[in-house]
């Protein structure tokens, strides 16, 4: 009886005291153990009453331990969480920006710093803005340079093959001086491989003013490669585009430090990063700009290829698979 009273009266907020209590009553050398041992010696007629008492004591002790343990646990959970300012914060996960967006924003920033604004236009285009205004009349063989996805023929409606279409729209709507950058998704009916895809992203630029020269173009491209890649070794190779004359292809010297550099540059260390040239007078005329008064240059580059170089991505298809293991690797970039 005295033990039962003691058990019922027991209270503590201390873990160690509780443990002492548990050992004293239910431990392997505890009071209950002794009582069960003594039970054997109890005369038969008293066995029932004695047994009931031991069981009562056992249940009371066990219940007490369980109840105090629960109270203590609840207390350790809430109090310090609310009051302890030294506890480490709980991390929460932010998504990652897509590498194409990261690189696109970097390119736009570089050109913003030299006065280019950003323009955009529709992905579904008409023949005029994608081809004809750009000095590619119907049946012009250069139309085959960019295999086109047609949505409708006669009149032709198509998925734009470059964002030069945006430049046409911009010239139609604005008077020189013009300094604009047109980023966007473009579409070409090409076989998909590790190096090319039927959907990709471009940034094209257009600069029109009085007395704009090829030297201005060259210097702008050089400024861009320095800012974007920290590299100033570039070369311009003569090329052909129907909308520019003269035209050039810009290569930058990337080097051959890694396996991916080797793959992407086909072992030369040089990588073609953009096409460019002086805007053809016919294009200016088509957009109601007087070629005797104004000249300009244009350039265009693929974002994927630049992102592949910067992040050492060996296969262009990774950009479109949306595998979170790939995308999460960009979570530290802004
Ligand atoms: N529009 C061209 C392309 O998509 C790139 C380019 C733009 C070339 C402007 C010259 C001038 O390949």
């Amino acid at each position: 009886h005295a033990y039962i009273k003691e058990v019922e009266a027991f209270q503590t907020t201390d873990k160690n005291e509780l443990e002492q209590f548990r050992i004293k009553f239910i431990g392997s050398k505890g009071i209950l153990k002794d009582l069960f041992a003594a039970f054997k010696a109890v005369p038969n007629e008293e066995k029932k009453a004695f047994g009931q008492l031991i069981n009562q004591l056992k249940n009371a002790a066990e219940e007490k331990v369980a109840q105090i343990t629960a109270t203590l646990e609840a207390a350790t959970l809430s109090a310090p969480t609310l009051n302890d300012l030294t506890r480490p914060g709980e991390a929460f996960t932010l998504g990652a920006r897509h590498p194409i967006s990261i690189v696109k924003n970097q390119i736009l920033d570089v050109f913003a710093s030299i006065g280019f604004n950003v323009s955009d236009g529709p992905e579904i285009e008409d023949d005029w803005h994608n081809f004809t205004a750009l000095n590619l009349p119907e049946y012009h063989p250069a139309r085959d340079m960019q295999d086109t996805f047609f949505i409708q023929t006669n009149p032709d409606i198509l998925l734009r093959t470059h964002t030069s279409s945006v430049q046409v729209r911009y010239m139609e709507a604005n008077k020189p001086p013009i300094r604009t950058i047109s980023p966007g998704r473009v579409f070409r009916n090409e076989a998909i491989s590790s190096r090319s895809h039927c959907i990709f992203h471009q940034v094209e630029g257009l600069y029109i003013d009085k007395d704009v020269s090829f030297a201005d173009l060259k210097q702008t491209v050089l400024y861009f490669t320095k800012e974007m890649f920290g590299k100033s070794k570039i070369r311009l190779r003569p090329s052909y585009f129907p909308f520019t004359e003269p035209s050039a292809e810009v290569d930058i010297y990337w080097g051959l430090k890694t396996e991916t550099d080797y793959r992407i540059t086909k072992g030369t260390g040089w990588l073609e990063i953009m096409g460019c040239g002086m805007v053809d007078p016919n294009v200016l005329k088509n957009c109601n700009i007087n070629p005797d008064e104004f000249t300009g240059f244009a350039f265009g580059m693929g974002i994927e290829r630049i992102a592949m170089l910067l992040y050492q991505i060996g296969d262009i298809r990774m950009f479109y698979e949306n595998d979170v293991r790939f995308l999460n690797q960009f979570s530290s970039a802004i």
Side-chain angles (χ1 to χ4, degrees):
H1 286 289
Y3 284 144
I4 291 176
K5 281 214 178 85
E6 185 184 339
V7 166
E8 280 172 353
F10 181 74
Q11 255 326 322
T12 184
T13 51
D14 182 83
K15 256 193 180 170
N16 292 327
E17 252 176 59
L18 177 65
E19 181 62 6
Q20 293 306 317
F21 172 84
R22 193 190 64 77
I23 293 169
K24 181 173 169 189
F25 284 95
I26 358 188
S28 58
K29 288 176 185 148
I31 290 168
L32 273 160
K33 189 89 175 191
D34 292 344
L35 287 176
F36 277 115
F39 181 72
K40 290 182 196 132
V42 171
N44 274 348
E45 64 275 19
E46 287 173 28
K47 268 208 160 93
K48 189 177 172 205
F50 193 83
Q52 277 175 349
L53 274 177
I54 306 181
N55 276 327
Q56 202 186 332
L57 178 64
K58 181 172 178 262
N59 291 338
E62 284 173 353
E63 223 168 83
K64 198 64 159 193
V65 171
Q67 175 238 316
I68 295 178
T69 308
T71 316
L72 287 180
E73 267 173 16
T76 43
L77 276 182
S78 61
T81 315
L82 294 173
N83 300 323
D84 181 2
L85 299 180
T86 66
R87 275 169 65 98
E90 273 175 40
F92 56 97
T93 27
L94 275 181
R97 216 184 270 286
H98 195 282
I100 296 294
S101 297
I102 295 171
V103 172
K104 178 188 80 184
N105 291 340
Q106 284 173 347
I107 298 172
L108 297 185
D109 280 351
V110 173
F111 285 106
S113 73
I114 48 173
F116 283 77
N117 66 10
V118 177
S119 47
D120 66 25
E123 293 179 355
I124 297 174
E125 261 302 1
D126 51 36
D127 176 276
W128 170 258
H129 292 97
N130 196 80
F131 290 128
T132 306
L134 288 161
N135 205 28
L136 280 127
E138 213 180 337
Y139 306 120
H140 191 293
R143 284 194 175 206
D144 297 341
M145 283 166 75
Q146 301 175 350
D147 292 322
T148 309
F149 286 117
F150 287 93
I151 289 176
Q152 172 194 303
T153 47
N154 196 27
D156 291 349
I157 303 293
L158 44 92
L159 295 176
R160 68 182 177 196
T161 58
H162 48 191
T163 56
S164 304
S165 56
V166 181
Q167 305 184 331
V168 172
R169 288 179 179 275
Y170 196 88
M171 285 187 277
E172 286 172 343
N174 297 276
K175 298 240 158 308
I178 288 172
R179 264 180 279 177
T180 192
I181 287 286
S182 318
R185 218 159 32 151
V186 300
F187 308 83
R188 290 183 198 178
N189 191 2
E190 275 175 24
I192 294 172
S193 71
S194 64
R195 294 173 58 88
S196 64
H197 208 278
C198 57
I199 299 177
F200 63 100
H201 298 76
Q202 273 191 331
V203 172
E204 295 219 352
L206 178 70
Y207 189 162
I208 297 177
D209 205 342
K210 289 187 171 137
D211 302 321
V212 178
S213 70
F214 198 88
D216 295 323
L217 165 59
K218 219 172 139 183
Q219 204 56 37
T220 305
V221 168
L222 183 61
Y223 173 78
F224 169 71
T225 55
K226 275 187 192 162
E227 289 292 305
M228 187 75 195
F229 309 106
K231 308 224 179 213
S232 49
K233 190 165 162 185
I234 62 170
R235 67 183 184 195
L236 273 72
R237 278 180 292 111
S239 185
Y240 170 77
F241 297 102
F243 27 89
T244 48
E245 182 61 36
S247 304
E249 214 80 69
V250 180
D251 297 342
I252 82 171
Y253 189 72
W254 192 261
L256 284 172
K257 285 199 214 73
T258 70
E259 165 99 31
T260 314
D261 294 343
Y262 200 88
R263 259 231 308 279
I264 298 176
T265 69
K266 291 184 188 152
T268 64
W270 286 96
L271 188 82
E272 183 192 313
I273 57 157
M274 64 170 94
C276 63
M278 302 307 290
V279 181
D280 194 291
N282 284 337
V283 175
L284 295 176
K285 263 186 244 159
N286 288 338
C287 302
N288 301 317
I289 292 173
N290 181 358
D292 298 325
E293 193 182 355
F294 294 104
T295 52
F297 63 76
F299 55 86
M301 64 191 110
I303 302 179
E304 276 80 353
R305 188 186 283 220
I306 292 173
M308 286 168 84
L309 262 193
L310 288 175
Y311 292 116
Q312 298 287 296
I313 297 165
D315 192 320
I316 197 172
R317 290 167 288 203
M318 294 185 130
F319 291 119
Y320 319 110
E321 282 163 359
N322 286 333
D323 183 331
V324 287
R325 291 168 301 179
F326 172 71
L327 297 176
N328 279 339
Q329 293 179 53
F330 300 92
S331 58
S332 62
I334 339 154

